Amino acid sequence: MQLNNVEFEISSPSLAACPKPSLPEFAFIGRSNVGKSSLLNLLAGRKSLARVSATPGHTKLINHFRVDDAWYLVDLPGYGYAAVSRTDKERWQRVMLNYLMSRESLSAVVLLCDPRLGLTELDEALLDAIRPRVEQGLKFLIVLTKADKLTRAEQAKILSITKLN
């Protein structure tokens, strides 16, 4: 699936600086370097809509991308490893959690997970934090990224684990 008419709108350092909550928002979260920006670029069919880097930790703000003037894709800062100070990481985590816990227009959360690592402690902590919102109806999806880096045997194992019966 490829989206049409996707445009960068704003990078916000805090919830207060985000666009007015008038359109549904679909937030992409996950560890630093899990492929959030790459997935957004793939969905938009553009190579450089969201900045992609080999060095983790480049997404430092809440990035809103307007889709068809009807909704937003939101690229959130990664968590976990990033070549930045501990203070910066903690600030990003507070901003991200504040967004996830209180953003009125948040309609869905897409957690990206590297299947080579599985769900990490930080992923589990994030899931625990947003569980009340999910139980209240917030849509939630886990997307496995970087499958191209798995061997065929690893791909088969992950596929068998994740299949719905």
Side-chain angles (χ1 to χ4, degrees), residues 10-50:
I10 190 169
S11 289
S12 307
S14 67
L15 188 59
C18 288
K20 185 178 79 170
S22 60
L23 297 175
E25 296 178 9
F26 296 77
F28 286 69
I29 60 172
R31 289 177 44 85
S32 296
N33 210 31
V34 75
K36 292 180 303 297
S37 298
S38 295
L39 180 57
L40 290 172
N41 288 338
L42 177 70
L43 290 172
R46 294 176 41 197
K47 291 183 180 182
S48 59
L49 179 70

Side-chain angles (χ1 to χ4, degrees), residues 101-115:
M101 300 306 294
S102 60
R103 184 69 170 170
E104 302 154 21
S105 51
L106 182 61
S107 297
V109 173
V110 180
L111 170 65
L112 279 68
C113 177
D114 184 333

